[in-house]
Amino acid sequence: MIEQIEFIYSHSPQLLFGFPGQRPGGLLLSVMLAILAIVIGFFFALLVGAGQQSRSGPVRWVCQRYIDIFRGLPLILLVIIIYQLGGVRILGFDINPLAAALIALVLYSSAYQAEIVRAGLLSVPRQHVESARVLGSSPLRAFFTVELPYALRVMTPAFVGQAISLFKDTSVLVIIGAAELMTITRAVLGSDITNLQHWITLYLFVGLLYFGIAYAVSLIARRWEEKSRSSELVHSLTTY
Amino acid sequence: MSLEWLSPETIKLLLEGLYLTIWLTAVTSVLSLVLGVVVGSFRLSKNRILRWSAAAYIEIHRNIPALVLIIFWAFAVPQLFPADLRRVIFFDNPLIFQIETVTGLSVPYYTLAAGIALTLNTSAYLAELYRAGVGTISQNIVDAARTLGASNWILMSRILIPRGLGAAFPAISTRLIHHMKNTTLAALVATPEFFHSTQTAISRSFRAVEYLLLAAAVYLVLSSLYAKLLRWIEDYLNRRPSFNRVQITPLEGAQNLVLE
């Protein structure tokens, strides 16, 4: 038992932050990838989500197909397609696994986020937008100053949920070796037969790391949501 | 476009993979639905120990990635046993050979483990959704059924389960489609399902583009077919006239359900 704990203790720096002297890896990279993908994905989602409500048929069609395709494919397949086809076949050189991972996560996540954006935009009361228009603001300005801030507040809990799910999904990046937590776990265990006894403790530890972050964020989000809901109620009572 | 890359052997390989993917999805979907309803009911139970253990089960299996669960059950759990015992329990087990005779699939322990892990993962999500669905059932109906003398079993089987599942079914469908996509993760523990056979085909022929695009098309078709099937089940579950829509009193509604 002592031996097992020592094994985990001696490898925890790699598991948490990646191998020394290299780019950040491990748990830190998993978290960074999830945050980056959710933030970049938001801009794609905004385009696609708004495009779904466009008056132009072809635009709506393209946006709908975008969502269908990236939601219908398993993430692991998307990652491999971008890594192998995007790199060697299209660009003609090996794409960095990290770049492929980020692109795949952004495309995958943005399809889910687009649905959230659409629901969020639909929840904005029409009167708010119309009042802004009557007061003389341009459609674009009304979108950014009235619609978006309102919708963002509605969308935030769903985005946090999406970020947690994306954080867990970073584990599939092990298939291209993107140096995130699962890749490092595999590297630490290696093919050394004497490490077989450490499999169970190490995977329990890694499971605990994922659980810790995901559960903590979901608890914080839940508390924050309750708080903001009550403050929103107060806000609506004082305004109207 | 010539199709010479698609030799008869690879077609056979891919079809076998597809067959296992469909089996794996079907069996684990049903199992996780059943387990989800059981755990969700425990979560709603008045017994504090049952409620807390169900909550722990849900949080643990929801917050750990499916891939970690799969590798844990497939590769780590057998290491708990000494080598000779491990062979007997996990690999030379006659029960495992039974599955092969019934389904015609060769199912090594790793495949079973992947199925178990996927079931645990999805059932945790479904338990929460089932609980939310039961939450939408009007208390009047439950009270009326109780007044009519419905036993716990009647209450569960006639009201809570069908209505709870029916109300939560759109969300349950989304999760089950996600579950279908998650079966690709079983390929990482050497389960010969479709994604794994695609990879085998690529490593034999070095034709990554063709096989990856084919796999993408297959998964898109599979997820839309599965979505259609689930939509059909949803319509079936919600086909009875709901007493929220049809204007009858909760008492009459419960009478219909309990006494039918």
Side-chain angles (χ1 to χ4, degrees):
Chain A
M1 196 62 216
I2 302 281
E3 203 189 331
Q4 320 253 338
I5 294 173
E6 261 174 19
F7 181 82
I8 287 178
Y9 182 74
S10 64
H11 288 97
S12 55
Q14 285 104 302
L15 291 169
L16 295 177
F17 308 113
F19 291 106
Q22 293 180 16
R23 270 192 290 256
L27 184 65
L28 180 64
L29 184 66
S30 291
V31 173
M32 278 168 37
L33 277 175
I35 295 176
L36 265 179
I38 210 93
V39 171
I40 302 173
F42 174 67
F43 294 100
F44 282 77
L46 208 54
L47 281 179
V48 177
Q52 265 190 310
Q53 295 174 55
S54 156
R55 251 170 264 143
S56 137
V59 172
R60 274 206 310 273
W61 188 85
V62 168
C63 291
Q64 195 52 50
R65 290 293 88 73
Y66 179 94
I67 292 176
D68 288 347
I69 288 175
F70 292 120
R71 278 181 61 142
L73 288 180
L75 177 60
I76 197 165
L77 186 59
L78 193 61
V79 167
I80 270 218
I81 286 179
I82 287 171
Y83 184 57
Q84 298 208 333
L85 305 194
V88 183
R89 303 296 169 137
I90 297 174
L91 298 175
F93 56 85
D94 263 331
I95 189 174
N96 178 348
L98 208 54
L102 189 59
I103 294 170
L105 285 175
V106 165
L107 291 176
Y108 181 74
S109 169
S110 65
Y112 282 89
Q113 284 175 280
E115 295 280 294
I116 303 173
V117 166
R118 193 168 63 110
L121 289 179
L122 284 176
S123 75
V124 181
R126 255 13 270 166
Q127 301 95 304
H128 287 209
V129 189
E130 279 157 17
S131 320
R133 297 280 289 124
V134 165
L135 289 171
S137 78
S138 66
L140 214 57
R141 189 168 168 208
F143 180 76
F144 281 109
T145 57
V146 179
E147 249 182 305
L148 195 56
Y150 187 102
L152 263 181
R153 219 182 310 161
V154 178
M155 293 186 285
T156 309
F159 277 149
V160 174
Q162 179 62 27
I164 295 172
S165 144
L166 204 57
F167 164 67
K168 291 181 288 165
D169 284 340
T170 56
S171 58
V172 311
L173 300 176
V174 68
I175 198 154
I176 56 169
E180 43 62 65
L181 184 50
M182 272 309 257
T183 314
I184 304 266
T185 310
R186 270 214 170 165
V188 162
L189 287 171
S191 51
D192 189 348
I193 194 115
T194 56
N195 277 343
L196 280 179
Q197 46 162 335
H198 296 302
W199 275 75
I200 196 140
T201 34
L202 192 64
Y203 272 101
L204 279 177
F205 180 68
V206 168
L208 194 69
L209 288 179
Y210 278 111
F211 177 83
I213 302 258
Y215 189 55
V217 174
S218 71
L219 278 189
I220 294 169
R222 208 177 299 163
R223 180 132 336 145
W224 187 52
E225 196 190 342
E226 276 161 15
K227 217 183 196 173
S228 75
R229 197 175 284 161
S230 53
S231 72
E232 223 161 88
L233 189 66
V234 173
H235 178 75
S236 67
L237 285 178
T238 50
T239 327
Y240 299 107
Chain B
M1 190 174 123
S2 81
L3 284 172
E4 29 94 14
W5 50 276
L6 210 55
S7 66
E9 300 94 80
T10 31
I11 292 179
K12 185 164 174 284
L13 177 76
L14 293 177
L15 283 179
E16 279 170 0
L18 191 61
Y19 185 59
L20 182 58
T21 291
I22 293 171
W23 259 103
L24 195 62
T25 307
V27 172
T28 53
S29 293
V30 172
L31 284 181
S32 34
L33 205 54
V34 172
L35 198 56
V37 168
V38 172
V39 175
S41 307
F42 283 178
R43 186 79 180 79
L44 290 162
S45 148
K46 287 199 186 73
N47 183 331
R48 196 183 299 169
I49 297 170
L50 275 185
R51 207 166 59 222
W52 283 359
S53 44
Y57 173 93
I58 292 171
E59 293 302 347
I60 287 172
H61 291 105
R62 268 201 331 175
N63 286 307
I64 295 179
L67 183 57
V68 177
L69 290 175
I70 289 174
I71 296 184
F72 180 81
W73 282 96
F75 290 159
V77 167
Q79 305 301 336
L80 274 177
F81 299 87
D84 41 346
L85 203 57
R86 190 189 310 155
R87 250 205 114 59
V88 174
I89 298 177
F90 295 104
F91 302 104
D92 292 342
N93 194 331
L95 274 177
I96 291 178
F97 295 121
Q98 281 283 294
I99 298 175
E100 190 173 341
T101 51
V102 174
T103 61
L105 296 163
S106 98
V107 180
Y109 169 69
Y110 298 137
T111 305
L112 275 189
I116 292 170
L118 285 168
T119 305
L120 293 176
N121 183 244
T122 304
S123 66
Y125 284 96
L126 297 187
E128 274 298 270
L129 295 176
Y130 170 69
R131 187 168 75 107
V134 168
T136 65
I137 299 173
S138 146
Q139 185 64 40
N140 296 344
I141 295 170
V142 177
D143 290 344
R146 284 255 181 254
T147 315
L148 287 167
S151 62
N152 277 337
W153 170 244
I154 293 278
L155 189 67
M156 285 280 287
S157 64
R158 294 278 171 82
I159 299 183
L160 296 186
I161 293 178
R163 299 210 159 246
L165 285 182
F169 216 81
I172 290 177
S173 308
T174 313
R175 182 38 63 183
L176 285 179
I177 292 167
H178 211 91
H179 173 81
M180 193 276 285
K181 295 193 289 164
N182 269 349
T183 58
T184 49
L185 301 179
L188 292 174
V189 293
T191 298
E193 47 74 77
F194 188 69
F195 183 61
H196 192 268
S197 31
T198 308
Q199 282 185 311
T200 314
I202 292 174
S203 64
R204 279 188 198 159
S205 65
F206 300 104
R207 296 241 183 204
V209 186
E210 289 89 343
Y211 286 117
L212 285 178
L213 292 182
L214 179 69
V218 167
Y219 275 106
L220 285 179
V221 169
L222 271 186
S223 42
S224 72
L225 283 181
Y226 198 32
K228 276 223 176 75
L229 175 71
L230 290 167
R231 177 76 48 80
W232 186 74
I233 295 174
E234 184 184 339
D235 289 344
Y236 177 79
L237 274 179
N238 291 328
R239 108 208 101 106
R240 301 178 184 200
S242 149
F243 10 89
N244 303 328
R245 266 177 268 141
V246 180
Q247 291 296 314
I248 51 176
T249 63
L251 186 66
E252 284 168 336
Q255 235 161 3
N256 289 344
L257 288 173
V258 175
L259 304 175
E260 72 182 3

